[in-house]
Amino acid sequence: MSTSESVKVKLNYGYDGEFHCEIPTERLICYHQAPEPREDVLQTTQQVLNSPLELPPLDLAVVPGDKITIVVDHQTPAIAAIINSLWNYLSDCGIEAGDVAILQSQSSPPDVQQKLKEAVAAELQENAEWVIHNPESKDALGYLGTSAGGDRIYLSKYLVEADFILPIELVGYDPLIGYAGGGSSIYPGFSSQEAILKSRGQSHRELTPTESRPLRQLIDEVGWMLGLQYSLQVIPAAGQGVAELAFGSSEAAFRKGKELLDQFWKLEPGYKSEIVVIAVESGPTGHQWNQLGSVLETARNLVTQDGRVVLLTQIDEEFGEGMKILSSCHEPHDAIKPLRDKQPGDLVTATQMALTGDWALICLLSKASSDDVEDLFMIPLEDDAEVQRLLQTDETVAVIASAQHTYGQLKQE
């Protein structure tokens, strides 16, 4: 009697979780594995800085005395190493640390902000200006101009008044704007509180990442109004690593970043699966419910109706406003309208939980209490052994590692 072949699966999840199993080949629809992180981030950053895409070398764009603003996207892996490599380059160009501003978002956790400061070169720690943008302070804002749609655009004065701006951004899939990066760290995050609130919305499930969206168009317009020239785009790897970097003109670097992101992180199986196993790792800013927004969108795209989504996490965070709304409803879909009306900060994640919970059965391994998980219309899992038991069936399976970075849809004919 012949034994069917099987695939050995290893998934990292949360901060230090590991899940191992074997799945028979005939049941496995897809197994998407994450790219390995680069070990030479400093050297790789130096290489891309020396060869920008579609623009002259950076040393021709900055001169001593320039006021330089480095825009930090804290979701970016290895951000301290990248900034240190950038500082080595800038200091060789004669730039003084006192002329550099490190601009960070108020939404980033204070401990993450402090860790970054402690991890960069001593000259930057001591002499650069470390700015936490306050979107509610009118004194922190400068008027940039009026968009084609009639929006008055205000941005941090450290952007409006800078001689040179360099955003360092994570390129990723985003349910609201398609692709994050390409200036999305600048607007609306470093604008006014009004602009931030106005930008909130439920995801465009009918659109793929490549299709145009109004907020993405506005982000691109703001970059043009700001005269943004260079950008450094970072493509994530497994864990909190870097797979690749793209540097050069804002348009060219973002275009290259999107190509690399699709190469590493886009999956297009030919069929839906009855079970989708998804591992979510902690990110540079921690391990939070908000990581599950795009994850659940991918899950809903790839699982059969009434199938099962198995989420492997170690999340143990308090609910945001949107999740509290969801937990107070009788059925998942009942939350859609109040979420749309309230527009909470975790709108996208809560909406995706409601839509996916209405479509399939969600099983969640986490460190949250069983009661909290059940309030979200999910089945709590206690340990890896319960996950193993869920997989001991004849059902088809899709497996996704580091799913916080992926986008999945059925292969288009």
Side-chain angles (χ1 to χ4, degrees):
M1 188 174 83
S2 63
T3 303
S4 62
E5 294 183 358
S6 62
V7 175
K8 292 183 178 180
V9 169
K10 177 190 173 185
L11 297 172
N12 296 322
Y13 64 91
Y15 297 100
D16 57 7
E18 279 191 14
F19 176 73
H20 298 264
C21 70
E22 291 191 25
I23 300 174
T25 304
E26 66 269 17
R27 290 177 51 209
L28 191 61
I29 298 293
C30 74
Y31 175 19
H32 184 270
Q33 300 178 65
E36 289 297 315
R38 304 186 72 101
E39 297 180 359
D40 55 346
V41 174
L42 275 168
Q43 182 180 348
T44 303
T45 305
Q46 196 70 39
Q47 289 171 350
V48 299
L49 290 174
N50 286 326
S51 304
L53 300 169
E54 298 184 5
L55 278 179
L58 189 56
D59 58 2
L60 298 179
V62 294
V63 295
D66 275 353
K67 295 297 182 183
I68 294 175
T69 296
I70 299 172
V71 180
V72 173
D73 172 4
H74 275 291
Q75 300 295 337
T76 306
I79 186 73
I82 293 169
I83 288 176
N84 281 333
S85 184
L86 173 62
W87 171 240
N88 289 338
Y89 192 104
L90 292 175
S91 61
D92 286 345
C93 296
I95 302 297
E96 299 288 337
D99 289 326
V100 175
I102 311 291
L103 183 59
Q104 303 176 82
S105 169
Q106 191 181 57
S107 63
S108 302
D111 63 319
V112 173
Q113 297 167 1
Q114 186 60 32
K115 283 180 182 176
L116 174 62
K117 188 172 182 178
E118 293 171 354
V120 300
E123 300 99 315
L124 290 178
Q125 290 185 40
E126 297 165 5
N127 299 312
E129 194 166 359
W130 291 81
V131 184
I132 308 300
H133 176 63
N134 181 2
E136 297 181 352
S137 170
K138 292 184 178 179
D139 293 338
L141 297 168
Y143 176 62
L144 179 65
T146 302
S147 72
D151 294 306
R152 290 175 62 83
I153 305 297
Y154 294 89
L155 290 176
S156 165
K157 287 182 178 178
Y158 288 90
L159 294 169
V160 176
E161 299 173 0
D163 296 309
F164 182 83
I165 301 165
L166 184 63
I168 303 174
E169 301 178 300
L170 175 74
V171 184
Y173 298 107
D174 187 284
L176 272 182
I177 59 175
Y179 290 94
S184 66
S185 66
I186 290 177
Y187 187 86
F190 291 107
S191 183
S192 63
Q193 186 67 12
E194 179 185 358
I196 292 171
L197 293 174
K198 189 177 178 180
S199 71
R200 291 177 182 171
Q202 291 172 323
S203 62
H204 302 275
R205 275 202 48 78
E206 73 282 4
L207 301 178
T208 64
T210 58
E211 293 178 283
S212 179
R213 301 144 193 256
L215 181 55
R216 178 73 252 181
Q217 292 173 339
L218 182 56
I219 290 167
D220 294 341
E221 186 179 359
V222 169
W224 176 81
M225 293 168 66
L226 189 59
L228 196 62
Q229 294 181 301
Y230 292 80
S231 74
L232 183 54
Q233 306 288 298
V234 182
I235 296 83
Q240 297 181 31
V242 172
E244 290 288 352
L245 298 100
F247 173 70
S249 77
S250 296
E251 183 178 334
F254 189 38
R255 184 171 62 247
K256 180 65 173 178
K258 290 187 290 185
E259 290 172 1
L260 290 166
L261 186 73
D262 285 347
Q263 175 185 325
F264 290 128
W265 292 106
K266 188 176 183 180
L267 57 151
E268 295 181 293
Y271 307 95
K272 289 192 174 186
S273 304
E274 293 162 295
I275 301 176
V276 177
V277 180
I278 290 179
V280 181
E281 296 179 273
S282 64
T285 59
H287 193 34
Q288 301 139 347
W289 293 110
N290 278 346
Q291 289 182 293
L292 302 186
S294 58
V295 167
L296 288 168
E297 180 166 331
T298 286
R300 192 179 187 280
N301 287 344
L302 300 184
V303 72
T304 56
Q305 188 167 11
D306 298 324
R308 281 180 288 178
V309 176
V310 181
L311 291 173
L312 308 182
T313 80
Q314 291 180 328
I315 296 175
D316 184 15
E317 297 284 329
E318 292 184 1
F319 288 178
E321 183 186 355
M323 293 175 63
K324 289 177 181 176
I325 292 172
L326 174 61
S327 67
S328 69
C329 293
H330 292 294
E331 297 292 339
H333 206 268
D334 294 343
I336 300 300
K337 186 179 186 302
L339 286 169
R340 186 183 298 119
D341 292 341
K342 291 281 188 179
Q343 298 282 304
D346 57 344
L347 173 63
V348 169
T349 297
T351 299
Q352 291 298 343
M353 283 184 177
L355 290 172
T356 307
D358 193 55
W359 174 261
L361 189 66
I362 304 176
C363 305
L364 176 67
L365 179 64
S366 73
K367 293 191 174 181
S369 75
S370 295
D371 288 344
D372 283 348
V373 173
E374 289 172 352
D375 285 345
L376 297 174
F377 305 98
M378 300 181 184
I379 296 175
L381 302 175
E382 295 298 325
D383 51 32
D384 289 2
E386 284 202 58
V387 181
Q388 294 278 9
R389 286 194 289 272
L390 285 175
L391 295 175
Q392 291 173 1
T393 69
D394 293 329
E395 295 171 302
T396 54
V397 183
V399 179
I400 307 172
S402 302
Q404 69 276 8
H405 298 309
T406 62
Y407 174 77
Q409 64 181 27
L410 289 188
K411 190 171 185 178
Q412 304 297 310
E413 295 297 335

